[in-house]
Amino acid sequence: MAMSAAALEMQDVPGPLLSVRNVGKRYGARIGCSDVSFDLWPGEVLGVVGESGSGKSTLLSCLSGQLRPDEGEVIFDTRDQGPRDTLLMSEPERRRLGRTDWAFVHQNPRDGLRLGVSAGGNVGERLMANGARHYGRIRATAQDWLTRVEIDPSRVDDRPRQFSGGMQQRLQIARNLVSGPRLAFMDEPTGGLDVSVQARLLDLLRGLVRDIGLSVVLVTHDLAVVRLLADRLMVMKDGRVIESGLTDQVLDDPQHAYTQLLVSSVLQV
Amino acid sequence: MSEYNFAYLDEDTKRMIRRAILKGIAVPGYQVPFASREMPMPYGWGTGGVQVTAATLVPEDVLKVIDQGADDTTNAVSIRKFFQRTAGIATTERTTEATVIQTRHRIPETPLNEDQILVYQVPIPEPMRFLEPRETETRRIHALADYGLMQVRLYEDIARHGEIATSYAYPVEVAGRYVMDPSPIPKFDNPKLDDCPAIQLFGAGREQRIYALPPYTRVRSLDFDDYPFSASKADHACAICGSATSYLDEVITDDAGGRMYVCSDTDYCARRAEGGA
Amino acid sequence: MIHAENVAKEFTLHNQGSTVLRVMEGANLDVAKGECVALTGASGAGKSTLMRMIWGNYRTDAGHIRVGEVEVSSAEPREIIALRRRTLGYVSQFLRVLPRVPTLRVVAEPLLTLGVGEAEAEARAAALLTRLRIGESLWGLSPTTFSGGEQQRVNIARGFVHPYPALLLDEPTASLDAANRETVMQLIEEAKARGAAILGIFHDEAARHRLCEREVDVSGFRPGVAA
């Protein structure tokens, strides 16, 4: 189980949770992403921002095991075998990682849910995939998580088709977090939602990240989202990271020309 | 007999099917793709079972064909006649006398022995098909033994009906590895799959898959710790032979709601009624 | 506790003809525990800039800035975040909050982040809000709809709910009436008394004279003016 942010600070953490070295992906002559390196520590939220075509989604796919990068290493500090390059793992190992220690929140919750399965079944799937065989306990855990993401637990048997977009997204989050992952990849988690719904979701994510000490790699084009959620920021353009650092520092004191353009382009409300 | 090769299929086709069968026996519960042939009966009428039977028959075999336990339904009769005509082998209605038994949706009540082969007709071989429509994904799930989804299906049953409501084609785990659809047999029959002395072969013609259970394979029906599997049947005795332990068909006798329960396995019932076993 | 040495800062505006604005050079500053130091100088002279550099919000181009044990000018983001969580507080002129978070939660947040239990965190937040005359009926509302003065008091409450060893205060008494100004000055004095190192920008002369032992004029750090 991951620990709360405060508890993590107390502990003598030996190394980063995720070490990314020179990850690159090419599509023929076109660069998807190139030469991306960073370390991510327990409890840290890293925002990756950029406009369409910046390579941020490609990068996320390469890190999370959905795309195979052409070069580089993605080293994750596994629980039982220490730091291991996930790109060299066998498919079963990677899949196991994907349903235990890792989470992936899709922009469109329909891509991350089984629409024909009840909310309880969706949340309980990881537990069952990891060997849980007691219906009563699985259901109770599912209801507990529904409460934590602010969905009425009495809706445990309803199908996601009957949920609003915001509820579906919260259900997707519950479905991912039930296995106690230490690392979550999020692709525009608030994209496509109404503004008021976004606010609620961001608040929920902040609380969960703090309570369970989750590390997050968060891809978004929305600078307001990163300001609220991310500790650190990487700005991408044309497949490359052009600036990175403390979130409020990159946004308030941007050094690179493109970052300055990006920040100044945001409409103030 | 006439212009047909023995058991209708040419020898190369039989060789291809036998290779698939051997692979299936070597990897119990694994769905082996095979090149299903055009048969003189439409898809959905047992073409997979017929191809498996055709490939396994030798002239000395004695064939029994049942459909929902009965030897005398249209389906069973026509398949039996098909093999009489194309293979010239002896046929029987008695389970104890048969060496090859082709069945649609039931396992005979009479226990089988090591000299027998049971061939099942299978409509949809993939147990997860209705939860995961993508073939690419179900193949990956089987390859990686990533069967959480299967358990989810049972969870949904309990959530919806208060119990695992699947009453036929109840999924099983084979030899601790593959999850398999045992064909639409009633769940009452599932225990007979386990540790069976006979060779059990499964053929799906339209879906082009063959799978198998070698003798004495461990077959476990999936369940939950707090909702264990139970092989249930109607709570009656057979009106003809009096058996309280066989699977029963419910027969409507008039239009006033009258009904009677009789053994679905006609041979078993007849033998009991005669006084034999 | 707070130490700045030979600090320099410039801004390069790439999208405006690559104009380079050199705003600071050779800045030196020390704030000891239990001390309150005021930054003075004309508007635009660099007071907020220097404060933001100490907070880690602005990059330091040359020199060193240290708060406690942490070299802010060269620290990793997570070290700065840990510093801000535990050691260094900052009350800016603006209250930036998520839209629907209630006031009580906003103020309790620094304690929650430190692992303090929800009940205790909210109790301490409530005590501060009461002291700053924010009525209980407002605690369940988001402060985004409050008046400027109310927002400022919520901001202050959030900055003082945890006893930070070092504090940066940017115009803490602006927009406040006399009674609340007095309360805020008492809070600052209490912080000093428990050993906090405080750096403040006070437009209000009376407050400055009452609270601060020293003044540092940032105009002395303008490029070309350095002594």
Side-chain angles (χ1 to χ4, degrees), chain A residues 6 9 41 44 150 200 203 206 210 227-228 231-232 246 248-249 252-253 255 257 260-261, chain C residues 9 11-12 14-15 52 56-57 59 77-78 81 84-86 96 98 100-101 105 109 114:
Chain A
E9 230 182 78
W41 296 76
E44 257 194 331
E150 298 176 19
R200 187 177 183 190
D203 191 30
R206 263 168 51 114
R210 185 190 61 215
R227 195 186 268 282
L228 287 164
D231 303 316
R232 285 163 57 196
L246 195 61
D248 62 275
Q249 193 184 92
D252 289 344
D253 190 12
Q255 302 294 305
Q260 291 183 358
L261 179 64
Chain C
K9 178 76 188 150
F11 291 102
T12 306
H14 293 282
N15 302 306
R52 289 214 200 194
N57 180 227
R59 263 180 42 148
R78 70 182 185 286
I81 289 175
R84 292 174 178 177
R85 193 178 286 147
R86 205 165 277 290
R96 191 184 255 135
L98 264 176
R100 60 149 214 175
V101 182
R105 259 283 302 278
E109 180 112 10
L114 282 169

Side-chain angles (χ1 to χ4, degrees), chain A residues 169-212:
Chain A
Q169 194 57 301
R170 280 178 278 136
L171 181 63
Q172 196 198 170
I173 289 168
R175 175 181 157 88
N176 271 279
L177 298 188
V178 70
S179 61
R182 290 181 295 150
L183 175 61
F185 298 97
M186 298 193 188
D187 186 6
E188 308 270 10
T190 59
L193 296 175
D194 289 337
V195 175
S196 60
V197 176
Q198 276 192 36
R200 187 177 183 190
L201 190 67
L202 286 173
D203 191 30
L204 177 72
L205 282 173
R206 263 168 51 114
L208 287 172
V209 166
R210 185 190 61 215
D211 289 341
I212 56 185

Side-chain angles (χ1 to χ4, degrees), chain A residues 119 123 142-156 158 163 166-172 174 200 204:
Chain A
V123 177
Q143 286 178 303
D144 178 60
W145 268 98
L146 289 179
T147 310
R148 288 176 81 164
V149 297
E150 298 176 19
I151 295 176
D152 186 352
S154 70
R155 304 204 63 176
V156 65
D158 290 347
F163 289 6
M167 279 176 84
Q168 285 181 350
Q169 194 57 301
R170 280 178 278 136
L171 181 63
Q172 196 198 170
R200 187 177 183 190
L204 177 72

Side-chain angles (χ1 to χ4, degrees), chain A:
Chain A
M1 230 323 158
M3 292 178 278
S4 75
L8 277 170
E9 230 182 78
M10 304 292 197
Q11 192 196 44
D12 185 25
V13 180
L17 184 66
L18 186 72
S19 275
V20 176
R21 295 277 171 272
N22 310 106
V23 163
K25 175 90 186 154
R26 225 167 285 110
Y27 296 103
R30 206 163 58 80
I31 294 177
C33 64
S34 175
D35 206 24
V36 179
S37 301
F38 64 88
D39 284 331
L40 186 69
W41 296 76
E44 257 194 331
V45 178
L46 171 69
V48 182
V49 296
E51 298 178 303
S52 307
S54 60
K56 57 189 196 295
S57 293
T58 304
L59 175 64
L60 196 71
S61 298
C62 287
L63 298 177
S64 60
Q66 297 172 326
L67 267 184
R68 189 142 201 97
D70 297 318
E71 60 211 13
E73 300 171 309
V74 178
I75 301 163
F76 179 72
D77 189 13
T78 62
R79 286 180 209 267
D80 45 4
Q81 289 174 32
R84 288 202 52 207
D85 187 357
T86 59
L87 300 178
L88 299 177
M89 280 182 176
S90 65
E91 179 78 10
E93 283 181 291
R94 221 197 327 265
R95 283 202 125 184
R96 187 166 49 243
L97 203 58
R99 60 169 193 266
T100 54
D101 236 358
W102 279 10
F104 196 104
V105 178
H106 296 261
Q107 175 174 1
N108 189 337
R110 287 188 287 283
D111 292 332
L113 290 173
R114 295 200 190 273
L115 295 177
V117 169
S118 69
N122 265 288
V123 177
E125 182 172 347
R126 277 199 179 197
L127 299 173
M128 290 184 258
N130 294 331
R133 287 291 175 269
H134 192 281
Y135 175 83
R137 283 199 286 269
I138 293 166
R139 188 179 170 80
T141 305
Q143 286 178 303
D144 178 60
W145 268 98
L146 289 179
T147 310
R148 288 176 81 164
V149 297
E150 298 176 19
I151 295 176
D152 186 352
S154 70
R155 304 204 63 176
V156 65
D157 295 324
D158 290 347
R159 241 141 246 109
R161 283 198 195 99
Q162 300 162 285
F163 289 6
S164 67
M167 279 176 84
Q168 285 181 350
Q169 194 57 301
R170 280 178 278 136
L171 181 63
Q172 196 198 170
I173 289 168
R175 175 181 157 88
N176 271 279
L177 298 188
V178 70
S179 61
R182 290 181 295 150
L183 175 61
F185 298 97
M186 298 193 188
D187 186 6
E188 308 270 10
T190 59
L193 296 175
D194 289 337
V195 175
S196 60
V197 176
Q198 276 192 36
R200 187 177 183 190
L201 190 67
L202 286 173
D203 191 30
L204 177 72
L205 282 173
R206 263 168 51 114
L208 287 172
V209 166
R210 185 190 61 215
D211 289 341
I212 56 185
L214 194 60
S215 298
V216 181
V217 179
L218 167 70
V219 158
T220 180
H221 67 275
D222 189 339
L223 296 183
V225 169
V226 287
R227 195 186 268 282
L228 287 164
L229 279 184
D231 303 316
R232 285 163 57 196
L233 196 53
M234 274 185 357
V235 182
M236 288 189 74
K237 182 178 192 295
D238 297 328
R240 295 200 150 80
V241 177
I242 52 122
E243 187 163 351
S244 69
L246 195 61
T247 300
D248 62 275
Q249 193 184 92
V250 172
L251 293 178
D252 289 344
D253 190 12
Q255 302 294 305
H256 193 278
Y258 176 70
T259 317
Q260 291 183 358
L261 179 64
L262 206 59
V263 171
S264 64
S265 307
V266 175
L267 300 173
Q268 301 294 335
V269 185

Side-chain angles (χ1 to χ4, degrees), chain C residues 89-91 107 110-111 124-125 128 131-132 152-164 167-169 172 183-192 194 196 198 202:
Chain C
Y90 180 36
V91 180
V107 176
L111 294 177
R124 284 159 68 174
L128 257 181
R131 204 171 153 184
L132 286 161
Q152 180 62 347
R153 281 177 277 149
V154 172
N155 213 359
I156 287 165
R158 181 169 62 173
F160 279 83
V161 74
H162 167 68
Y164 293 103
L167 269 172
L168 305 171
L169 306 173
T183 305
V184 171
M185 286 197 278
Q186 281 174 10
L187 282 172
I188 296 172
E189 285 170 334
E190 285 162 24
K192 274 176 64 175
R194 62 169 158 74
I198 303 178
F202 303 92

Side-chain angles (χ1 to χ4, degrees), chain C:
Chain C
M1 188 67 199
I2 300 176
H3 173 77
E5 187 182 318
N6 217 17
V7 163
K9 178 76 188 150
E10 67 183 32
F11 291 102
T12 306
L13 305 177
H14 293 282
N15 302 306
Q16 285 160 53
S18 294
T19 321
V20 177
L21 292 173
R22 290 173 50 234
V23 300
M24 197 173 290
E25 207 172 75
N28 293 292
L29 180 68
D30 268 290
V31 183
K33 292 184 185 173
E35 231 194 337
C36 181
V37 174
L39 285 180
T40 59
S43 183
K47 304 188 293 295
S48 289
T49 301
L50 181 58
M51 194 168 273
R52 289 214 200 194
M53 287 164 78
I54 296 169
W55 175 242
N57 180 227
Y58 278 2
R59 263 180 42 148
T60 306
D61 290 326
H64 301 280
I65 295 181
R66 204 174 60 244
V67 176
E69 303 290 302
V70 180
E71 280 279 341
V72 172
S73 35
S74 59
E76 294 283 319
R78 70 182 185 286
E79 293 173 301
I80 297 185
I81 289 175
L83 181 74
R84 292 174 178 177
R85 193 178 286 147
R86 205 165 277 290
T87 308
L88 181 61
Y90 180 36
V91 180
S92 72
Q93 293 185 54
F94 310 105
L95 178 65
R96 191 184 255 135
V97 284
L98 264 176
R100 60 149 214 175
V101 182
T103 297
L104 191 65
R105 259 283 302 278
V106 168
V107 176
E109 180 112 10
L111 294 177
L112 294 171
T113 317
L114 282 169
V116 175
E118 197 169 321
E120 189 194 331
E122 289 192 348
R124 284 159 68 174
L128 257 181
L129 284 169
T130 306
R131 204 171 153 184
L132 286 161
R133 298 175 195 79
I134 303 275
E136 198 170 334
S137 60
L138 296 177
W139 295 354
L141 303 174
S142 166
T144 46
T145 54
F146 293 177
S147 72
E150 285 169 332
Q151 287 195 2
Q152 180 62 347
R153 281 177 277 149
V154 172
N155 213 359
I156 287 165
R158 181 169 62 173
F160 279 83
V161 74
H162 167 68
Y164 293 103
L167 269 172
L168 305 171
L169 306 173
D170 194 346
E171 302 284 9
T173 57
S175 330
L176 298 181
D177 62 23
N180 283 311
R181 254 204 319 276
E182 177 61 31
T183 305
V184 171
M185 286 197 278
Q186 281 174 10
L187 282 172
I188 296 172
E189 285 170 334
E190 285 162 24
K192 274 176 64 175
R194 62 169 158 74
I198 303 178
L199 183 65
I201 299 171
F202 303 92
H203 240 107
D204 176 4
E205 264 197 57
R208 201 164 62 221
H209 289 149
R210 172 168 155 186
L211 297 170
C212 305
E213 281 79 35
R214 284 190 290 127
E215 294 183 9
V216 173
D217 190 344
V218 300
S219 333
F221 304 139
R222 299 229 80 157
V225 180

